Amino acid sequence: MVLMGVDVGFGGAVAFVSSTDMSWHEVFDMPVIKVGTKKELDLSRLATIITRHGSDVSSYVESVSAMPRQGVASMFRFGMSYGVIQGMTSMAGHRLTLVKPRTWQASMLRDMSKDKGSSLLRAKQLFPDAELVTPRGRKLDGRSDALLIARYGQQKETGI
């Protein structure tokens, strides 16, 4: 069985892990298209990513809510992507679990601070071959979070 983890948002990612092979993983940046000065979700690419392993997938999607000091327009777009991901996951026939950030972080970052640097370090420890930094050094924290959400789902479902 395959487990999918999703870090919601335009800077997020979608990751897949296996229920049996601890080293196997796939990770994809959230597909976006730049339209003028804004970004839009590339819905057809997102659907292709979500459906790539068929319907025998357990999906763990980060359960998000409004954040303090966020603008109304950006929160609307963030919420829209959250709803689109839930809808596509359900349409793909996946088993869907929403997981709060503090829940997966408490499990995956048990002995670490709950920040992006810790998430990147833990993902690199668990998935040493994962590309989590660009050649110019930009950290791809959406990928690390998506991988850790998927690994959280793997632990929940297999007890590993």
Side-chain angles (χ1 to χ4, degrees), residues 139-156:
K139 296 175 177 130
L140 301 171
D141 54 79
R143 290 182 184 187
S144 60
D145 285 358
L147 281 165
L148 293 179
I149 293 165
R151 177 58 62 94
Y152 169 82
Q154 181 188 52
Q155 288 178 350
K156 285 296 185 195

mmCIF file of all heavy atoms in Angstrom, residues 139-156:
data_model
loop_
_atom_site.group_PDB
_atom_site.id
_atom_site.type_symbol
_atom_site.label_atom_id
_atom_site.label_comp_id
_atom_site.label_asym_id
_atom_site.label_seq_id
_atom_site.Cartn_x
_atom_site.Cartn_y
_atom_site.Cartn_z
ATOM 1 N N LYS A 139 15.835 26.157 0.876
ATOM 2 C CA LYS A 139 15.257 25.005 1.557
ATOM 3 C C LYS A 139 13.847 24.752 1.038
ATOM 4 O O LYS A 139 13.038 25.663 0.943
ATOM 5 C CB LYS A 139 15.253 25.235 3.061
ATOM 6 C CG LYS A 139 16.656 25.333 3.605
ATOM 7 C CD LYS A 139 16.638 25.670 5.068
ATOM 8 C CE LYS A 139 18.067 25.686 5.555
ATOM 9 N NZ LYS A 139 18.422 26.843 6.285
ATOM 10 N N LEU A 140 13.555 23.505 0.730
ATOM 11 C CA LEU A 140 12.243 23.108 0.214
ATOM 12 C C LEU A 140 11.453 22.484 1.365
ATOM 13 O O LEU A 140 11.223 21.283 1.412
ATOM 14 C CB LEU A 140 12.429 22.140 -0.957
ATOM 15 C CG LEU A 140 13.246 22.702 -2.125
ATOM 16 C CD1 LEU A 140 13.576 21.620 -3.134
ATOM 17 C CD2 LEU A 140 12.506 23.859 -2.782
ATOM 18 N N ASP A 141 11.018 23.352 2.298
ATOM 19 C CA ASP A 141 10.365 22.846 3.506
ATOM 20 C C ASP A 141 9.001 22.228 3.219
ATOM 21 O O ASP A 141 8.536 21.386 3.982
ATOM 22 C CB ASP A 141 10.278 23.922 4.579
ATOM 23 C CG ASP A 141 9.625 25.191 4.092
ATOM 24 O OD1 ASP A 141 8.398 25.233 4.016
ATOM 25 O OD2 ASP A 141 10.361 26.144 3.780
ATOM 26 N N GLY A 142 8.365 22.593 2.115
ATOM 27 C CA GLY A 142 7.106 21.934 1.749
ATOM 28 C C GLY A 142 7.333 20.452 1.500
ATOM 29 O O GLY A 142 6.537 19.608 1.904
ATOM 30 N N ARG A 143 8.438 20.116 0.854
ATOM 31 C CA ARG A 143 8.773 18.714 0.602
ATOM 32 C C ARG A 143 9.040 17.971 1.911
ATOM 33 O O ARG A 143 8.581 16.850 2.095
ATOM 34 C CB ARG A 143 9.999 18.602 -0.294
ATOM 35 C CG ARG A 143 9.763 19.024 -1.719
ATOM 36 C CD ARG A 143 11.022 18.825 -2.536
ATOM 37 N NE ARG A 143 10.869 19.313 -3.895
ATOM 38 C CZ ARG A 143 11.763 19.142 -4.843
ATOM 39 N NH1 ARG A 143 12.890 18.499 -4.588
ATOM 40 N NH2 ARG A 143 11.557 19.616 -6.046
ATOM 41 N N SER A 144 9.824 18.589 2.790
ATOM 42 C CA SER A 144 10.140 17.899 4.048
ATOM 43 C C SER A 144 8.880 17.687 4.868
ATOM 44 O O SER A 144 8.673 16.602 5.431
ATOM 45 C CB SER A 144 11.207 18.652 4.845
ATOM 46 O OG SER A 144 10.802 19.959 5.179
ATOM 47 N N ASP A 145 8.007 18.682 4.937
ATOM 48 C CA ASP A 145 6.762 18.518 5.692
ATOM 49 C C ASP A 145 5.884 17.431 5.076
ATOM 50 O O ASP A 145 5.325 16.591 5.787
ATOM 51 C CB ASP A 145 5.993 19.837 5.762
ATOM 52 C CG ASP A 145 6.608 20.834 6.730
ATOM 53 O OD1 ASP A 145 7.627 20.502 7.388
ATOM 54 O OD2 ASP A 145 6.079 21.954 6.830
ATOM 55 N N ALA A 146 5.758 17.423 3.745
ATOM 56 C CA ALA A 146 4.930 16.401 3.085
ATOM 57 C C ALA A 146 5.475 14.997 3.349
ATOM 58 O O ALA A 146 4.714 14.059 3.613
ATOM 59 C CB ALA A 146 4.850 16.677 1.586
ATOM 60 N N LEU A 147 6.791 14.840 3.290
ATOM 61 C CA LEU A 147 7.399 13.531 3.583
ATOM 62 C C LEU A 147 7.132 13.105 5.026
ATOM 63 O O LEU A 147 6.819 11.939 5.287
ATOM 64 C CB LEU A 147 8.904 13.569 3.316
ATOM 65 C CG LEU A 147 9.323 13.462 1.858
ATOM 66 C CD1 LEU A 147 10.782 13.871 1.693
ATOM 67 C CD2 LEU A 147 9.086 12.049 1.331
ATOM 68 N N LEU A 148 7.241 14.041 5.952
ATOM 69 C CA LEU A 148 7.008 13.696 7.359
ATOM 70 C C LEU A 148 5.532 13.402 7.636
ATOM 71 O O LEU A 148 5.216 12.535 8.447
ATOM 72 C CB LEU A 148 7.527 14.808 8.271
ATOM 73 C CG LEU A 148 9.042 14.989 8.271
ATOM 74 C CD1 LEU A 148 9.445 16.143 9.189
ATOM 75 C CD2 LEU A 148 9.767 13.707 8.657
ATOM 76 N N ILE A 149 4.640 14.088 6.953
ATOM 77 C CA ILE A 149 3.200 13.788 7.095
ATOM 78 C C ILE A 149 2.923 12.383 6.563
ATOM 79 O O ILE A 149 2.190 11.607 7.177
ATOM 80 C CB ILE A 149 2.345 14.858 6.387
ATOM 81 C CG1 ILE A 149 2.481 16.208 7.101
ATOM 82 C CG2 ILE A 149 0.878 14.422 6.331
ATOM 83 C CD1 ILE A 149 1.971 17.399 6.297
ATOM 84 N N ALA A 150 3.518 12.039 5.421
ATOM 85 C CA ALA A 150 3.349 10.688 4.866
ATOM 86 C C ALA A 150 3.928 9.641 5.817
ATOM 87 O O ALA A 150 3.318 8.589 6.042
ATOM 88 C CB ALA A 150 4.008 10.588 3.491
ATOM 89 N N ARG A 151 5.112 9.904 6.373
ATOM 90 C CA ARG A 151 5.724 8.960 7.324
ATOM 91 C C ARG A 151 4.865 8.838 8.582
ATOM 92 O O ARG A 151 4.712 7.762 9.146
ATOM 93 C CB ARG A 151 7.149 9.401 7.656
ATOM 94 C CG ARG A 151 7.885 8.540 8.688
ATOM 95 C CD ARG A 151 8.015 7.047 8.321
ATOM 96 N NE ARG A 151 8.745 6.762 7.128
ATOM 97 C CZ ARG A 151 10.046 6.469 7.065
ATOM 98 N NH1 ARG A 151 10.769 6.447 8.162
ATOM 99 N NH2 ARG A 151 10.595 6.210 5.906
ATOM 100 N N TYR A 152 4.261 9.931 9.029
ATOM 101 C CA TYR A 152 3.335 9.903 10.167
ATOM 102 C C TYR A 152 2.183 8.940 9.854
ATOM 103 O O TYR A 152 1.829 8.090 10.674
ATOM 104 C CB TYR A 152 2.799 11.294 10.469
ATOM 105 C CG TYR A 152 1.659 11.305 11.456
ATOM 106 C CD1 TYR A 152 1.911 11.250 12.826
ATOM 107 C CD2 TYR A 152 0.343 11.348 11.025
ATOM 108 C CE1 TYR A 152 0.859 11.237 13.733
ATOM 109 C CE2 TYR A 152 -0.701 11.338 11.917
ATOM 110 C CZ TYR A 152 -0.442 11.284 13.275
ATOM 111 O OH TYR A 152 -1.481 11.254 14.181
ATOM 112 N N GLY A 153 1.623 9.060 8.655
ATOM 113 C CA GLY A 153 0.548 8.150 8.242
ATOM 114 C C GLY A 153 1.010 6.718 8.203
ATOM 115 O O GLY A 153 0.298 5.795 8.621
ATOM 116 N N GLN A 154 2.232 6.491 7.729
ATOM 117 C CA GLN A 154 2.801 5.154 7.690
ATOM 118 C C GLN A 154 2.888 4.565 9.101
ATOM 119 O O GLN A 154 2.524 3.418 9.328
ATOM 120 C CB GLN A 154 4.180 5.227 7.045
ATOM 121 C CG GLN A 154 4.890 3.916 6.914
ATOM 122 C CD GLN A 154 6.323 4.109 6.446
ATOM 123 O OE1 GLN A 154 7.057 4.888 7.034
ATOM 124 N NE2 GLN A 154 6.683 3.426 5.382
ATOM 125 N N GLN A 155 3.337 5.365 10.052
ATOM 126 C CA GLN A 155 3.429 4.892 11.441
ATOM 127 C C GLN A 155 2.048 4.560 11.999
ATOM 128 O O GLN A 155 1.882 3.559 12.688
ATOM 129 C CB GLN A 155 4.102 5.942 12.318
ATOM 130 C CG GLN A 155 5.575 6.090 12.068
ATOM 131 C CD GLN A 155 6.197 7.182 12.940
ATOM 132 O OE1 GLN A 155 5.502 7.956 13.598
ATOM 133 N NE2 GLN A 155 7.518 7.223 12.924
ATOM 134 N N LYS A 156 1.078 5.416 11.711
ATOM 135 C CA LYS A 156 -0.289 5.194 12.213
ATOM 136 C C LYS A 156 -0.889 3.897 11.651
ATOM 137 O O LYS A 156 -1.572 3.177 12.368
ATOM 138 C CB LYS A 156 -1.201 6.366 11.851
ATOM 139 C CG LYS A 156 -0.960 7.583 12.687
ATOM 140 C CD LYS A 156 -1.302 7.240 14.084
ATOM 141 C CE LYS A 156 -1.250 8.327 15.059
ATOM 142 N NZ LYS A 156 -1.248 7.837 16.412
#
